[in-house]
Amino acid sequence: MSDLAQLVMQRIDALAQISDDDGHTTRFFASPAMRRANHDVGSWMREAGMSVRVDAVGNLIGHYPAAQPDGKILLLGSHLDTVRDAGKFDGPLGVLIAIACVQHLSDAKTRLPFAIEVVGFADEEGVRFQSTYLGSRALAGTLNPDELRRTDARGVTMADAIREFGGNPDAIVSAKLDANRVLGYAEVHIEQGPVLEQKHLAVGVVTAIAGQTRARITFTGHAGHAGTVPMNLRQDALCAAAEFVLAVESLAQNTGGLVATVGEIAASPGASNVIPGETRLSLDVRHPEDSVRVRAADDLKKRAEGIAAERGLTMKWETVHQTGAVICHRHFTTLMENAVRRHQQEAPLLYSGAGHDTAAISAICPVTMLFVRCKGGISHNPSESATEADVRVATAVMNDFILQLAKSA
Ligand code: HGY
Ligand code: MN
Ligand code: MN
């Protein structure tokens, strides 16, 4: 598997150059860079003996046939979209290791009792339309067609973006997989956390994925002259937002296991001598237990209402996305643990604070994930990195998992 690990690393570097933003790695849903990424990854899938298609929403899917035509399908893969100014590994690593495993089977002319479909999901991060798991929810059949009316920062609807990309928004339902034909889904992903590095281990097995609530909050006050409006007469929307941001941090610091983040904030009209009349913020709240997450989001909504009332402003709260926590499938997790133990001295079990397409696909089949150590646990950052040696272990473990599944299928 060694030269395949080297090939994965070379392709990681090549893919990182495909971007909508020169000098950075940025690939948003249905963008020109996503089209170029689908083209290159599609050619690598064909080199590995797969036929390739792009579904109605833009997911790239490679198919490696089973030994017999009515075999079920094992899904492998991850996402090809990225956050803004991303690292090289978040998403592509899972797609490229999956292709390497199929390459290994194809080179050995091995056919299994099930087919393998490697998916490069079209949109996991949800940066462009603030709705995560677009690609995997389309495959799971849980994408609400109403979402096609969402608009991006330029006012382009999701439906038009899909159409422009060459997809078919009216045929989104055709992207849904027949759950009866799907054996399960396995995703390799960088850990995006420090645990494996602290344990000095290359890989670990994911047992659960945190639930997420994402909201968009708007504080509306009154723009005014920075030099003439006395402090006691202001309705400053940015001060309200600032108070709310610290309230978010304080709640998360005082609630075990809760993480909450305001990642985006915009003040308008945005001039140094004008009191901000409006601020728009994003909110991301996560916890392994759904009841704690939901209660925290409710508490923060009440806090935002209170801040607005105290300051004479109005506040609009839009919950734009919610996914429940997901527990990975017991049998698949055991198979993955056994595979890990054949390649490193222990098989650590980890919980994922980050969301993954695995969470969406769990709606239709058993799922499991393999985490790969990443330097300093850093992710969503250009300095995100993993080593070829760890990629070699992860590829061998995934290959082992697939062969074990074939024996038990
Ligand atoms: O935000 C997340 O957890 C993932 O990277 N989309
Ligand atoms: Mn990811
Ligand atoms: Mn990510």
Side-chain angles (χ1 to χ4, degrees):
M1 303 295 279
S2 58
D3 59 338
L4 287 174
Q6 201 177 37
L7 185 62
V8 167
M9 296 303 275
Q10 286 163 0
R11 289 172 170 174
I12 285 276
D13 287 335
L15 210 39
Q17 304 308 314
I18 301 179
S19 174
D20 294 309
D21 176 9
D22 287 345
H24 303 282
T25 298
T26 302
R27 275 194 309 273
F28 290 158
F29 175 59
S31 70
M34 278 303 287
R35 189 197 312 283
R36 296 200 304 276
N38 276 3
H39 173 270
D40 288 11
V41 177
S43 59
W44 298 335
M45 288 177 169
R46 286 187 195 91
E47 279 176 39
M50 290 185 258
S51 57
V52 177
R53 68 182 192 277
V54 178
D55 72 10
V57 80
N59 293 315
L60 177 72
I61 303 171
H63 180 89
Y64 184 74
Q68 62 277 352
D70 61 347
K72 286 202 168 194
I73 300 170
L74 171 66
L75 294 174
L76 303 176
S78 190
H79 57 97
L80 289 175
D81 69 303
T82 73
V83 292
R84 194 187 308 280
D85 195 14
K88 297 189 287 192
F89 293 84
D90 175 5
L93 181 66
V95 180
L96 297 173
I97 285 185
I99 293 173
C101 287
V102 174
Q103 179 85 55
H104 184 64
L105 293 169
S106 172
D107 293 349
K109 301 201 180 357
T110 304
R111 289 269 186 251
L112 301 174
F114 44 78
I116 292 180
E117 293 208 336
V118 177
V119 188
F121 287 109
D123 179 66
E124 186 273 342
E125 301 289 1
V127 175
R128 182 171 177 183
F129 290 101
Q130 287 298 310
S131 55
T132 68
Y133 308 151
L134 258 182
S136 37
R137 284 192 289 131
L139 235 58
T142 54
L143 179 60
N144 181 337
D146 292 350
E147 296 196 57
L148 293 169
R149 291 200 295 271
R150 283 177 188 265
T151 54
D152 67 7
R154 287 183 298 128
V156 176
T157 64
M158 193 186 292
D160 286 344
I162 291 171
R163 218 170 268 116
E164 220 173 284
F165 189 71
N168 178 357
D170 305 321
I172 288 291
V173 282
S174 71
K176 178 178 175 357
L177 288 181
D178 172 0
N180 299 319
R181 295 218 46 228
V182 181
L183 194 60
Y185 175 66
E187 180 171 2
V188 180
H189 201 287
I190 49 168
E191 178 198 343
Q192 300 177 300
V195 174
L196 290 173
E197 194 170 56
Q198 281 164 2
K199 287 177 171 285
H200 306 291
L201 292 169
V203 295
V205 184
V206 177
T207 54
I209 299 170
Q212 293 186 21
T213 296
R214 293 197 188 181
R216 241 199 309 251
I217 298 124
T218 306
F219 285 103
T220 306
H222 196 77
H225 195 300
T228 58
V229 181
M231 292 309 288
N232 65 331
L233 297 181
R234 295 186 175 201
Q235 290 157 288
D236 185 326
L238 188 47
C239 290
E243 189 177 348
F244 178 70
V245 171
L246 292 178
V248 168
E249 181 189 46
S250 166
L251 180 70
Q253 284 171 335
N254 296 297
T255 309
L258 187 76
V259 285
T261 314
V262 174
E264 292 175 69
I265 185 165
S268 59
S272 65
N273 59 352
V274 180
I275 302 163
E278 183 173 275
T279 43
R280 288 176 305 287
L281 307 91
S282 65
L283 176 68
D284 178 315
V285 181
R286 307 190 192 196
H287 195 279
E289 283 169 56
D290 290 343
S291 58
V292 175
R293 169 177 54 83
V294 171
R295 191 168 53 249
D298 285 348
D299 289 351
L300 288 172
K301 183 176 179 187
K302 288 189 184 78
R303 189 78 190 84
E305 284 160 352
I307 289 168
E310 284 150 28
R311 292 171 172 269
L313 283 78
T314 58
M315 188 281 298
K316 189 170 92 177
W317 181 286
E318 293 167 87
T319 299
V320 291
H321 176 79
Q322 287 223 67
T323 42
V326 164
I327 308 293
C328 292
H329 187 263
R330 186 71 237 135
H331 174 55
F332 270 45
T333 303
T334 305
L335 289 180
M336 191 64 84
E337 272 182 87
N338 297 342
V340 168
R341 283 203 186 87
R342 276 199 274 284
H343 298 276
Q344 68 181 27
Q345 70 272 25
E346 70 169 281
L349 300 179
L350 308 173
Y351 142 76
S352 176
H356 300 288
D357 289 305
T358 297
I361 295 293
S362 69
I364 58 167
C365 67
V367 297
T368 183
M369 282 194 80
L370 182 71
F371 269 174
V372 180
R373 170 170 46 185
C374 63
K375 191 160 168 284
I378 296 170
S379 183
H380 285 190
N381 180 311
S383 59
E384 183 182 280
S385 81
T387 66
E388 184 175 318
D390 288 357
V391 168
R392 184 168 299 120
V393 172
T395 309
V397 166
M398 274 304 278
N399 184 56
D400 210 310
F401 166 79
I402 293 166
L403 295 178
Q404 272 194 76
L405 194 61
K407 280 188 204 126
S408 70

